[in-house]
Each structure stands twice: as structure tokens, then as C-alpha cells.
Amino acid sequence: MRAVVIHAPKDLRIDSFPDSAPAAGQVRVQIANGGICGSDLHYYHHGGFGTVRIQQPMALGHEIAGVVAAVGAGATELAEGMRVAVNPSLPCGHCAYCREGLRNQCLDMRFMGSAMCNPHVQGGFREFVTVEASQVVPIAPTLSLAEAAMAEPLSVCLHAAHQSGSLLGKRVLVTGCGPIGALSVLVARYGGAAEIVVTDIADAPLAFAKKLGASHALNVAHEPAALEPWRAGKGTFDVLFEASGNQAALRSALDVMRPGGVIVQLGLGGEMTLPLNTLVTKELQLRGTFRFDREFALALKLMGEGLIDVKPLITASLPFEQAVAAFELASDRAQSMKVQLTF
Ligand code: ZN
């Protein structure tokens, strides 16, 4: 079979790739759609992010869906021909965190298309993947495989909403409007937010956010004081989803958060300097959020029932043979929200 493999920065190839039949408890899935994520783009442009670097060629991709092609012994709940989403995370199931139910914090997490461990865990941008049956979730007949491949990033945002607590009637700020910021808008709407304000430094994603139901979409590069109306008193936002990983975005948001407000940090941003006294005196709560767990099945359920519609986010689909063109397109924020490969 063939796979989309990163060898070095800007060296993305279509390689032949070893195939494997499913062992007991495993399932082989013929991949149909794979979404290009920000981390895939980091591997493509820079060979990694932070201290994580590719050490050997690695198939990219972890937002994938397809059709069951073969079922190993014992995976009785699955059958050939089933349409499924593939959960790219495989926690060990027996470390201290897994036993506590904190599976996204697993000490031995195997996450597809990640160079965090060595040898790397190969990703899902290939014609077939063989995975544990526990990683495969059948999807509703109403759901396309393209939508099913959005389950992973949607799960990330649902997990973030679990960190924030109830959004019902809340005033929500989303900083950064890539796919994660845009999906956070959809999750905030679903969660019953009364007002959703989105900021970014580019116009195209902001126009997108408006279409998805944001109350206000503000370009803080053109208009640095755009959040001023929400600064009344000590600030008026109940919840912040920080999806940019940018220090300036987080710092300026601190001034418009109401006392006791909850900041959920989604974006990975390396080291930052923050005015700690603002956090202390306004009793703000800064919370991290990382990947997801049970939210993967929830994402598929919500999409399958039509409660969250991710279709508008998929701005392009290209055959995987054109992966380089697809990665370049995905890097262009003026044109793209989510670009998928088709297999
Ligand atoms: Zn574990």
C-alpha cells in the first residue's frame, strides 16, 4: 500500500508502506478521508514542534475515517464493510492514570502520526491502517466519512468544554480561529453560550467564524482595541477558549475576563510571560486541556444526530497523491479551514 510520509522539512513523499493483517482483537480499515491538522503542518514545514522532531520517516495523519476491510479474531462487534472513525489515541490501559480514568494522560500513550515517542507511531495517511478494535467507532448512516474524519479535532474541543464547565448562558471569547477555534465556536453554540466573540489576526477565518454563528468576529491586528467594549467594569467574559497559543492573545484576554472567569488554554505556546497579578486579583482560573478521551464517541454521536454540523469547515479535499499541494493549501489561512486527503 501507499502512505504519505514525512522524511524531513518540506520533504513529503508518497511511499510504499508495509501492510499487516489484523491480529486477534484488531481490525484493518481502508482509509477514505484524512484531515490535515496543525501538527501535520508543523512536521511538514519544520520537521516537528518544540522539542519533538522526526527521527525517522513517519506517515503523518491522525484525523481519519474509512471502511472496515478485515476483522481479527475476537473483534466480534465489528464487521467487514462497516463505516468507522478511527481514534488515533491508544492508551496503555494499565498505567496509574489509565486506571484512574485519565487515559489522555497515559504514561505510554501511542498516538498515531506522533514523533513524541521513538520509534515514532506511524500515522493514518495511508490506504489501510490496522488498529485495535477499541480504536474504531462505527458511525451513523447519516454521517459522511469526511465528517467522521472531523471527530478527532471536534473531540479536542469537547474535551476543552468539559474543562470550562457549563457554557449555558455564558459569554464566551475564542482567541484564534483555525479549525480548533472554529470548532470551539460550534461547541460553545451547542453548549448554549449566550454570546460568542472570536478574535484572530486574519480576515478569512473570522468571516468563517461569523458564518458558524459567532456573535462578533474581530480582527485584532487591524484593530488592537477591538475588545474594548467587553472591558466594562473588570471585564465581561465568563469563559475563554484560547486556541492561538499566542502570548499577546492570552494577555489581552485577561483584561476582558470577568472576575472568576475560566480560561481554557488549547493552544500550545511554549514559554509565555503573563501579568500574574491580574490572574490573582480577578481570581481567574487558568486550565489546560490536552487531547480527549470519551469525547471521541460523543463527537460522532453529536455529528450523527445533526446537533453539530462540521461540514462547512471542510474547505477542500484532494487525492492523497497530491499531498504536497494539499499541505500547501492547508497552510494558506486565506483559503483554507480544514483540508482533507482522500484515499
Ligand atoms: Zn496508560
Side-chain angles (χ1 to χ4, degrees):
M1 71 157 129
R2 291 170 299 165
V4 179
V5 178
I6 189 78
H7 286 254
K10 296 280 183 182
D11 183 4
L12 186 66
R13 305 182 200 170
I14 310 302
D15 287 348
S16 68
F17 203 83
D19 203 354
S20 59
Q26 291 186 326
V27 58
R28 184 169 184 257
V29 178
Q30 180 167 21
I31 298 302
N33 295 76
I36 299 172
C37 167
S39 67
D40 297 316
L41 293 174
H42 275 286
Y43 289 119
Y44 172 66
H45 289 289
H46 314 295
F49 43 88
T51 56
V52 178
R53 299 281 136 189
I54 42 167
Q55 310 291 328
Q56 64 250 184
M58 179 177 78
L60 291 176
H62 56 267
E63 301 178 2
I64 50 172
V67 177
V68 173
V71 179
T76 47
E77 67 282 17
L78 296 166
E80 230 175 278
M82 275 184 173
R83 299 157 70 248
V84 296
V86 178
N87 185 335
S89 55
L90 180 60
C92 77
H94 48 75
C95 74
Y97 298 119
C98 281
R99 288 200 311 269
E100 278 178 32
L102 289 171
R103 287 180 296 189
N104 62 322
Q105 298 290 346
C106 174
L107 291 167
D108 191 22
M109 173 65 84
R110 307 278 299 161
F111 197 90
M112 294 179 91
S114 167
M116 278 187 187
C117 44
N118 200 358
H120 306 334
V121 185
Q122 296 294 327
F125 287 166
R126 39 186 157 131
E127 291 172 292
F128 293 90
V129 298
T130 298
V131 294
E132 300 302 315
S134 61
Q135 290 177 265
V136 159
V137 182
I139 64 170
T142 47
L143 203 61
S144 67
L145 288 167
E147 291 166 85
M150 294 290 286
E152 197 271 350
L154 179 55
S155 306
V156 168
C157 299
L158 291 168
H159 189 70
H162 275 140
Q163 309 289 9
S164 72
S166 171
L167 297 168
L168 187 63
K170 298 290 172 68
R171 185 172 281 143
V172 174
L173 175 61
V174 178
T175 49
C177 193
I180 292 295
L183 287 166
S184 296
V185 171
L186 294 181
V187 167
R189 277 191 70 187
Y190 171 70
E195 185 176 18
I196 305 167
V197 179
V198 182
T199 64
D200 199 286
I201 55 170
D203 285 329
L206 288 167
F208 222 96
K210 281 290 277 186
K211 275 194 272 179
L212 295 177
S215 324
H216 302 272
L218 310 171
N219 188 322
V220 288
H222 294 167
E223 203 190 332
L227 281 171
E228 206 54 36
W230 288 271
R231 203 182 168 125
K234 292 186 173 184
T236 54
F237 287 106
D238 301 290
V239 174
L240 165 63
F241 292 114
E242 205 301 293
S244 74
N246 182 285
Q247 174 173 302
L250 178 54
R251 281 197 75 137
S252 57
L254 293 181
D255 295 330
V256 291
M257 296 298 293
R258 59 175 291 128
V262 176
I263 298 163
V264 181
Q265 183 67 35
L266 281 135
L268 292 160
E271 295 197 10
M272 287 186 186
T273 306
L274 294 176
L276 205 57
N277 288 357
T278 307
L279 223 73
V280 171
T281 57
K282 283 166 71 170
E283 301 180 316
L284 299 174
Q285 302 179 57
L286 176 58
R287 301 177 184 174
T289 186
F290 186 55
R291 291 181 179 160
F292 54 89
D293 182 27
R294 62 203 154 109
E295 293 87 358
F296 192 80
L298 175 62
L300 288 162
K301 182 178 160 65
L302 294 176
M303 290 190 291
E305 293 179 2
L307 295 169
I308 290 185
D309 181 10
V310 299
K311 288 191 292 294
L313 270 76
I314 304 167
T315 46
S317 296
L318 276 78
F320 77 96
E321 292 90 342
Q322 297 171 31
V324 170
F327 273 63
E328 290 294 337
L329 181 61
S331 306
D332 181 358
R333 301 191 70 213
Q335 289 189 69
S336 300
M337 186 53 77
K338 178 62 72 182
V339 176
Q340 289 189 342
L341 301 174
T342 53
F343 292 81

